[in-house]
Short mmCIF file of all heavy atoms in Angstrom, two decimals:
data_model
loop_
_atom_site.label_atom_id
_atom_site.label_comp_id
_atom_site.label_asym_id
_atom_site.label_seq_id
_atom_site.Cartn_x
_atom_site.Cartn_y
_atom_site.Cartn_z
N GLY A 432 23.73 11.18 -13.14
CA GLY A 432 23.28 10.60 -14.40
C GLY A 432 23.06 11.69 -15.44
O GLY A 432 22.89 12.87 -15.11
N ASP A 433 23.07 11.31 -16.68
CA ASP A 433 22.91 12.25 -17.79
C ASP A 433 21.45 12.34 -18.19
O ASP A 433 20.87 11.39 -18.72
CB ASP A 433 23.77 11.80 -18.98
CG ASP A 433 23.71 12.76 -20.14
OD1 ASP A 433 23.25 13.92 -19.92
OD2 ASP A 433 24.11 12.39 -21.26
N VAL A 434 20.84 13.49 -17.96
CA VAL A 434 19.44 13.70 -18.33
C VAL A 434 19.29 14.75 -19.42
O VAL A 434 18.17 15.10 -19.79
CB VAL A 434 18.60 14.12 -17.10
CG1 VAL A 434 18.59 13.04 -16.05
CG2 VAL A 434 19.13 15.43 -16.51
N GLY A 435 20.39 15.24 -19.94
CA GLY A 435 20.36 16.30 -20.93
C GLY A 435 19.62 15.90 -22.21
O GLY A 435 19.96 14.90 -22.84
N GLY A 436 18.61 16.67 -22.59
CA GLY A 436 17.88 16.43 -23.83
C GLY A 436 16.97 15.22 -23.81
O GLY A 436 16.47 14.80 -24.87
N ARG A 437 16.72 14.67 -22.65
CA ARG A 437 15.88 13.47 -22.55
C ARG A 437 14.60 13.75 -21.76
O ARG A 437 14.50 14.73 -21.04
CB ARG A 437 16.65 12.34 -21.86
CG ARG A 437 17.90 11.90 -22.61
CD ARG A 437 18.49 10.67 -21.98
NE ARG A 437 19.71 10.24 -22.66
CZ ARG A 437 20.38 9.15 -22.36
NH1 ARG A 437 19.95 8.37 -21.36
NH2 ARG A 437 21.47 8.82 -23.01
N ILE A 438 13.64 12.85 -21.91
CA ILE A 438 12.41 12.92 -21.14
C ILE A 438 12.67 12.26 -19.79
O ILE A 438 12.95 11.07 -19.72
CB ILE A 438 11.26 12.21 -21.86
CG1 ILE A 438 11.03 12.81 -23.25
CG2 ILE A 438 9.98 12.26 -21.04
CD1 ILE A 438 10.06 12.01 -24.10
N ALA A 439 12.60 13.05 -18.72
CA ALA A 439 12.84 12.51 -17.37
C ALA A 439 11.53 11.95 -16.82
O ALA A 439 10.55 12.67 -16.68
CB ALA A 439 13.39 13.60 -16.46
N ILE A 440 11.52 10.66 -16.52
CA ILE A 440 10.32 9.99 -16.01
C ILE A 440 10.50 9.70 -14.53
O ILE A 440 11.27 8.82 -14.15
CB ILE A 440 10.02 8.69 -16.78
CG1 ILE A 440 9.81 8.97 -18.27
CG2 ILE A 440 8.80 8.00 -16.19
CD1 ILE A 440 9.57 7.72 -19.09
N ILE A 441 9.81 10.48 -13.69
CA ILE A 441 9.66 10.14 -12.28
C ILE A 441 8.23 9.64 -12.14
O ILE A 441 7.29 10.31 -12.55
CB ILE A 441 9.87 11.36 -11.37
CG1 ILE A 441 11.24 11.99 -11.62
CG2 ILE A 441 9.73 10.97 -9.91
CD1 ILE A 441 11.51 13.21 -10.77
N VAL A 442 8.04 8.43 -11.61
CA VAL A 442 6.71 7.83 -11.58
C VAL A 442 5.82 8.76 -10.69
O VAL A 442 5.79 8.55 -9.47
CB VAL A 442 6.81 6.38 -11.07
CG1 VAL A 442 5.44 5.73 -11.11
CG2 VAL A 442 7.79 5.59 -11.92
N VAL A 443 5.12 9.58 -11.52
CA VAL A 443 3.98 10.37 -10.98
C VAL A 443 2.69 9.79 -11.47
O VAL A 443 1.60 10.21 -11.10
CB VAL A 443 4.08 11.84 -11.40
CG1 VAL A 443 5.30 12.51 -10.77
CG2 VAL A 443 4.16 11.98 -12.91
N VAL A 444 2.76 8.91 -12.32
CA VAL A 444 1.64 8.08 -12.81
C VAL A 444 1.20 7.20 -11.66
O VAL A 444 1.97 6.36 -11.19
CB VAL A 444 2.06 7.20 -14.01
CG1 VAL A 444 0.89 6.36 -14.49
CG2 VAL A 444 2.58 8.07 -15.14
N VAL A 445 -0.01 7.35 -11.18
CA VAL A 445 -0.49 6.62 -10.00
C VAL A 445 -1.67 5.73 -10.37
O VAL A 445 -2.29 5.90 -11.41
CB VAL A 445 -0.91 7.59 -8.88
CG1 VAL A 445 0.28 8.38 -8.39
CG2 VAL A 445 -2.01 8.53 -9.36
N THR A 446 -1.95 4.78 -9.51
CA THR A 446 -3.07 3.85 -9.74
C THR A 446 -4.30 4.33 -9.00
O THR A 446 -4.24 5.25 -8.17
CB THR A 446 -2.69 2.43 -9.27
OG1 THR A 446 -2.52 2.46 -7.85
CG2 THR A 446 -1.40 1.96 -9.93
N ASN A 447 -5.42 3.69 -9.29
CA ASN A 447 -6.67 4.07 -8.62
C ASN A 447 -6.87 3.32 -7.31
O ASN A 447 -7.98 3.03 -6.90
CB ASN A 447 -7.87 3.84 -9.55
CG ASN A 447 -7.96 2.40 -10.03
OD1 ASN A 447 -6.99 1.65 -9.98
ND2 ASN A 447 -9.11 2.02 -10.53
N THR A 448 -5.76 3.02 -6.64
CA THR A 448 -5.83 2.36 -5.33
C THR A 448 -5.94 3.37 -4.20
O THR A 448 -6.26 2.99 -3.07
CB THR A 448 -4.57 1.49 -5.11
OG1 THR A 448 -3.41 2.34 -5.19
CG2 THR A 448 -4.47 0.41 -6.15
N VAL A 449 -5.65 4.64 -4.47
CA VAL A 449 -5.73 5.69 -3.45
C VAL A 449 -6.52 6.85 -4.04
O VAL A 449 -6.23 7.28 -5.16
CB VAL A 449 -4.32 6.18 -3.03
CG1 VAL A 449 -4.43 7.32 -2.04
CG2 VAL A 449 -3.52 5.04 -2.43
N PRO A 450 -7.51 7.38 -3.33
CA PRO A 450 -8.26 8.53 -3.84
C PRO A 450 -7.34 9.74 -4.04
O PRO A 450 -6.59 10.10 -3.13
CB PRO A 450 -9.29 8.81 -2.74
CG PRO A 450 -9.40 7.53 -1.98
CD PRO A 450 -8.05 6.89 -2.05
N HIS A 451 -7.39 10.36 -5.22
CA HIS A 451 -6.54 11.52 -5.48
C HIS A 451 -7.22 12.50 -6.45
O HIS A 451 -6.56 13.11 -7.29
CB HIS A 451 -5.19 11.07 -6.05
CG HIS A 451 -5.29 10.20 -7.27
ND1 HIS A 451 -5.49 8.85 -7.20
CD2 HIS A 451 -5.24 10.48 -8.60
CE1 HIS A 451 -5.55 8.33 -8.41
NE2 HIS A 451 -5.41 9.32 -9.28
N GLU A 452 -8.52 12.65 -6.31
CA GLU A 452 -9.25 13.56 -7.19
C GLU A 452 -8.80 15.01 -7.00
O GLU A 452 -8.61 15.75 -7.97
CB GLU A 452 -10.76 13.46 -6.93
CG GLU A 452 -11.37 12.10 -7.28
CD GLU A 452 -11.24 11.10 -6.15
OE1 GLU A 452 -10.63 11.45 -5.12
OE2 GLU A 452 -11.74 9.98 -6.29
N VAL A 453 -8.61 15.42 -5.75
CA VAL A 453 -8.20 16.80 -5.47
C VAL A 453 -6.80 17.06 -6.03
O VAL A 453 -6.54 18.11 -6.64
CB VAL A 453 -8.22 17.07 -3.95
CG1 VAL A 453 -7.69 18.47 -3.65
CG2 VAL A 453 -9.63 16.90 -3.40
N GLN A 454 -5.90 16.09 -5.87
CA GLN A 454 -4.55 16.26 -6.37
C GLN A 454 -4.52 16.37 -7.89
O GLN A 454 -3.72 17.11 -8.46
CB GLN A 454 -3.67 15.09 -5.92
CG GLN A 454 -3.34 15.08 -4.43
CD GLN A 454 -4.47 14.55 -3.57
OE1 GLN A 454 -5.54 14.19 -4.07
NE2 GLN A 454 -4.27 14.49 -2.26
N LYS A 455 -5.41 15.66 -8.57
CA LYS A 455 -5.47 15.75 -10.03
C LYS A 455 -5.95 17.11 -10.49
O LYS A 455 -5.54 17.61 -11.53
CB LYS A 455 -6.38 14.65 -10.58
CG LYS A 455 -5.80 13.26 -10.48
CD LYS A 455 -6.64 12.24 -11.20
CE LYS A 455 -6.55 12.41 -12.71
NZ LYS A 455 -7.23 11.30 -13.42
N LEU A 456 -6.85 17.72 -9.70
CA LEU A 456 -7.30 19.07 -10.04
C LEU A 456 -6.17 20.08 -9.85
O LEU A 456 -6.05 21.05 -10.60
CB LEU A 456 -8.50 19.45 -9.17
CG LEU A 456 -9.80 18.67 -9.42
CD1 LEU A 456 -10.86 19.07 -8.41
CD2 LEU A 456 -10.30 18.91 -10.84
N GLN A 457 -5.34 19.85 -8.86
CA GLN A 457 -4.23 20.76 -8.58
C GLN A 457 -3.07 20.56 -9.55
O GLN A 457 -2.35 21.51 -9.86
CB GLN A 457 -3.74 20.56 -7.15
CG GLN A 457 -4.77 20.92 -6.09
CD GLN A 457 -4.33 20.55 -4.69
OE1 GLN A 457 -3.38 19.78 -4.51
NE2 GLN A 457 -5.01 21.10 -3.68
N CYS A 458 -2.90 19.33 -10.02
CA CYS A 458 -1.80 19.03 -10.94
C CYS A 458 -2.32 18.15 -12.07
O CYS A 458 -2.45 16.94 -11.91
CB CYS A 458 -0.65 18.33 -10.21
SG CYS A 458 0.74 17.90 -11.29
N PRO A 459 -2.65 18.74 -13.23
CA PRO A 459 -3.21 17.95 -14.34
C PRO A 459 -2.24 16.95 -14.94
O PRO A 459 -2.64 16.10 -15.72
CB PRO A 459 -3.58 19.04 -15.36
CG PRO A 459 -2.72 20.21 -15.02
CD PRO A 459 -2.53 20.17 -13.54
N LYS A 460 -0.97 17.01 -14.55
CA LYS A 460 0.00 16.05 -15.08
C LYS A 460 -0.14 14.67 -14.46
O LYS A 460 0.42 13.70 -14.97
CB LYS A 460 1.43 16.57 -14.85
CG LYS A 460 1.79 17.79 -15.69
CD LYS A 460 3.24 18.17 -15.50
CE LYS A 460 3.62 19.35 -16.38
NZ LYS A 460 5.05 19.73 -16.22
N ILE A 461 -0.86 14.56 -13.34
CA ILE A 461 -1.05 13.26 -12.70
C ILE A 461 -1.99 12.42 -13.55
O ILE A 461 -3.09 12.84 -13.89
CB ILE A 461 -1.63 13.43 -11.29
CG1 ILE A 461 -0.63 14.18 -10.39
CG2 ILE A 461 -1.96 12.07 -10.67
CD1 ILE A 461 -1.15 14.44 -8.99
N LYS A 462 -1.55 11.22 -13.91
CA LYS A 462 -2.35 10.30 -14.70
C LYS A 462 -2.71 9.08 -13.85
O LYS A 462 -1.89 8.60 -13.06
CB LYS A 462 -1.59 9.85 -15.95
CG LYS A 462 -1.09 11.02 -16.81
CD LYS A 462 -2.22 11.88 -17.32
CE LYS A 462 -1.69 13.04 -18.17
NZ LYS A 462 -2.77 13.94 -18.62
N THR A 463 -3.91 8.56 -14.04
CA THR A 463 -4.40 7.44 -13.24
C THR A 463 -4.44 6.17 -14.07
O THR A 463 -4.96 6.17 -15.20
CB THR A 463 -5.81 7.74 -12.70
OG1 THR A 463 -5.79 8.96 -11.97
CG2 THR A 463 -6.29 6.62 -11.79
N VAL A 464 -3.89 5.10 -13.52
CA VAL A 464 -3.89 3.79 -14.18
C VAL A 464 -4.83 2.86 -13.41
O VAL A 464 -4.74 2.76 -12.18
CB VAL A 464 -2.46 3.19 -14.21
CG1 VAL A 464 -2.47 1.79 -14.79
CG2 VAL A 464 -1.54 4.09 -15.03
N ASP A 465 -5.73 2.20 -14.13
CA ASP A 465 -6.71 1.31 -13.51
C ASP A 465 -6.08 -0.06 -13.25
O ASP A 465 -5.53 -0.69 -14.16
CB ASP A 465 -7.92 1.16 -14.44
CG ASP A 465 -8.99 0.26 -13.84
OD1 ASP A 465 -9.01 0.09 -12.61
OD2 ASP A 465 -9.80 -0.28 -14.62
N VAL A 466 -6.14 -0.52 -11.99
CA VAL A 466 -5.59 -1.83 -11.63
C VAL A 466 -6.69 -2.77 -11.15
O VAL A 466 -6.39 -3.78 -10.51
CB VAL A 466 -4.49 -1.70 -10.55
CG1 VAL A 466 -3.27 -0.97 -11.09
CG2 VAL A 466 -5.03 -1.02 -9.31
N SER A 467 -7.94 -2.44 -11.46
CA SER A 467 -9.04 -3.31 -11.02
C SER A 467 -8.95 -4.70 -11.63
O SER A 467 -9.43 -5.68 -11.05
CB SER A 467 -10.39 -2.67 -11.38
OG SER A 467 -10.52 -2.50 -12.78
N MET A 468 -8.28 -4.81 -12.79
CA MET A 468 -8.16 -6.11 -13.46
C MET A 468 -7.41 -7.11 -12.59
O MET A 468 -7.87 -8.24 -12.39
CB MET A 468 -7.44 -5.94 -14.80
CG MET A 468 -7.23 -7.24 -15.55
SD MET A 468 -6.13 -7.05 -16.97
CE MET A 468 -6.96 -5.77 -17.89
N ILE A 469 -6.26 -6.71 -12.07
CA ILE A 469 -5.45 -7.65 -11.29
C ILE A 469 -6.10 -7.94 -9.94
O ILE A 469 -6.01 -9.06 -9.42
CB ILE A 469 -4.01 -7.10 -11.11
CG1 ILE A 469 -3.10 -8.21 -10.54
CG2 ILE A 469 -3.97 -5.88 -10.22
CD1 ILE A 469 -1.63 -7.85 -10.53
N LEU A 470 -6.79 -6.95 -9.36
CA LEU A 470 -7.48 -7.19 -8.09
C LEU A 470 -8.64 -8.16 -8.28
O LEU A 470 -8.86 -9.07 -7.46
CB LEU A 470 -7.99 -5.87 -7.52
CG LEU A 470 -6.91 -4.86 -7.11
CD1 LEU A 470 -7.55 -3.54 -6.70
CD2 LEU A 470 -6.05 -5.40 -5.98
N ALA A 471 -9.38 -8.00 -9.39
CA ALA A 471 -10.49 -8.92 -9.68
C ALA A 471 -9.97 -10.33 -9.93
O ALA A 471 -10.57 -11.32 -9.47
CB ALA A 471 -11.27 -8.42 -10.89
N GLU A 472 -8.86 -10.44 -10.64
CA GLU A 472 -8.30 -11.77 -10.92
C GLU A 472 -7.80 -12.42 -9.64
O GLU A 472 -7.92 -13.64 -9.46
CB GLU A 472 -7.15 -11.64 -11.94
CG GLU A 472 -6.49 -12.95 -12.32
CD GLU A 472 -7.43 -13.93 -13.02
OE1 GLU A 472 -8.53 -13.51 -13.45
OE2 GLU A 472 -7.07 -15.11 -13.14
N ALA A 473 -7.23 -11.62 -8.72
CA ALA A 473 -6.78 -12.17 -7.44
C ALA A 473 -7.97 -12.70 -6.64
O ALA A 473 -7.89 -13.79 -6.04
CB ALA A 473 -6.04 -11.09 -6.64
N ILE A 474 -9.08 -11.97 -6.64
CA ILE A 474 -10.28 -12.43 -5.94
C ILE A 474 -10.79 -13.73 -6.55
O ILE A 474 -11.13 -14.68 -5.84
CB ILE A 474 -11.37 -11.34 -6.00
CG1 ILE A 474 -10.95 -10.14 -5.13
CG2 ILE A 474 -12.72 -11.88 -5.54
CD1 ILE A 474 -11.88 -8.95 -5.24
N ARG A 475 -10.84 -13.79 -7.87
CA ARG A 475 -11.34 -14.99 -8.55
C ARG A 475 -10.48 -16.20 -8.23
O ARG A 475 -10.99 -17.29 -7.94
CB ARG A 475 -11.38 -14.75 -10.07
CG ARG A 475 -12.09 -15.86 -10.84
CD ARG A 475 -11.84 -15.73 -12.33
NE ARG A 475 -10.44 -15.99 -12.66
CZ ARG A 475 -9.91 -17.22 -12.76
NH1 ARG A 475 -10.67 -18.29 -12.53
NH2 ARG A 475 -8.66 -17.38 -13.06
N ARG A 476 -9.16 -16.02 -8.26
CA ARG A 476 -8.25 -17.14 -8.02
C ARG A 476 -8.31 -17.61 -6.57
O ARG A 476 -8.27 -18.82 -6.30
CB ARG A 476 -6.81 -16.75 -8.39
CG ARG A 476 -6.58 -16.68 -9.90
CD ARG A 476 -5.18 -16.24 -10.25
NE ARG A 476 -4.98 -16.35 -11.69
CZ ARG A 476 -4.54 -17.45 -12.30
NH1 ARG A 476 -4.21 -18.51 -11.58
NH2 ARG A 476 -4.41 -17.49 -13.61
N ILE A 477 -8.40 -16.69 -5.63
CA ILE A 477 -8.50 -17.09 -4.22
C ILE A 477 -9.79 -17.85 -3.97
O ILE A 477 -9.81 -18.88 -3.29
CB ILE A 477 -8.40 -15.85 -3.32
CG1 ILE A 477 -6.97 -15.29 -3.34
CG2 ILE A 477 -8.80 -16.19 -1.89
CD1 ILE A 477 -6.80 -14.00 -2.57
#
Side-chain angles (χ1 to χ4, degrees):
D433 183 16
V434 297
R437 298 188 182 184
I438 302 171
I440 301 178
I441 303 179
V442 183
V443 294
V444 180
V445 296
T446 66
N447 57 342
T448 59
V449 177
H451 55 276
E452 295 85 357
V453 176
Q454 289 79 359
K455 289 188 71 173
L456 292 175
Q457 296 173 345
C458 179
K460 291 185 178 181
I461 296 178
K462 306 299 180 183
T463 305
V464 175
D465 181 22
V466 294
S467 61
M468 179 190 303
I469 191 171
L470 295 174
E472 181 63 14
I474 291 174
R475 189 192 68 79
R476 286 177 173 271
I477 289 175

